[in-house]
Amino acid sequence: MATLDECEAYARGKGADIPFCMGVVFRLKSIGISHEQILCAAILSQTKATFDELFERFGRELAVMVTSIMRDNTLPKKKQEQAYVEQLRQAPWEAVLVKLCEISANLKVIKESELSRTKRSKLLKQNIHYLNILKNNIRENQDKALGLPKLLE
């Protein structure tokens, strides 16, 4: 089983934004999530690693969780979004929690950024779109994370 330190070191090597990753981990912990693999998924989801790379290094469970909320950059641009939306719909609950906390972290970054109003609006709409995709999964599983209402406020 992977440790947070091991995943963080791997993510650093892949050029991930570690402060952002740790913000997602913080949000997960704030809603009562302490399972090491879910916290690791929050870090690894920012690496752009392939399923095979993750599987080889961290095992099947973590590779599935992480890649279910990552875009497949091997696909043509036009097919990426469609495939990504389907992945989010089919993602395991643990991965949905990570994506939810990632959206929360993104919203904070958008709010504090000096991006143009148009760019901020576009990013906000995109995050709301992904949140809407996850809505049914959240509704069906909200009792599994007691701190979830706090995050959704």
Side-chain angles (χ1 to χ4, degrees):
M1 189 172 332
T3 66
L4 271 177
D5 289 339
E6 183 182 2
C7 292
E8 183 179 339
Y10 181 81
R12 277 186 200 286
K14 288 282 199 175
D17 180 350
I18 300 301
F20 180 81
C21 294
M22 298 317 288
V24 177
V25 168
F26 173 80
R27 282 168 174 74
L28 285 163
K29 288 181 176 180
S30 75
I31 61 169
I33 304 301
S34 59
H35 191 279
E36 189 96 5
Q37 296 303 283
I38 298 172
L39 301 176
C40 284
I43 294 171
L44 296 174
S45 67
Q46 302 301 309
T47 64
K48 296 186 172 119
T50 66
F51 177 87
D52 291 338
E53 291 170 329
L54 294 167
F55 179 80
E56 184 178 313
R57 179 90 182 247
F58 301 104
R60 184 183 188 291
E61 178 186 7
L62 205 43
V64 167
M65 196 182 319
V66 171
T67 56
S68 69
I69 56 170
M70 287 174 58
R71 289 183 178 279
D72 184 350
N73 294 321
T74 64
L75 295 173
K77 273 276 192 212
K78 289 185 178 183
K79 292 187 177 186
Q80 277 185 27
E81 181 66 15
Q82 183 180 359
Y84 185 56
V85 166
E86 190 54 36
Q87 283 172 224
L88 291 177
R89 282 193 179 109
Q90 302 299 320
W93 170 242
E94 297 82 4
V96 169
L97 284 173
V98 172
K99 185 62 184 175
L100 211 56
C101 290
E102 183 181 301
I103 290 170
S104 174
N106 280 335
L107 294 175
K108 181 177 188 265
V109 169
I110 293 167
K111 180 181 175 185
E112 295 174 352
S113 77
E114 294 181 15
L115 295 170
S116 71
R117 185 180 190 135
T118 303
K119 181 69 174 170
R120 280 196 315 237
S121 177
K122 181 181 176 184
L123 291 171
L124 182 61
K125 286 177 185 175
Q126 183 181 49
N127 278 278
I128 291 170
H129 171 66
Y130 297 141
L131 189 57
N132 284 328
I133 291 165
L134 300 172
K135 196 183 315 184
N136 287 338
N137 198 325
I138 295 166
R139 200 174 293 126
E140 292 168 8
N141 293 289
Q142 62 186 345
D143 59 323
K144 294 180 182 176
L146 299 178
L148 196 54
K150 177 180 166 186
L151 181 68
L152 296 173
E153 290 176 351

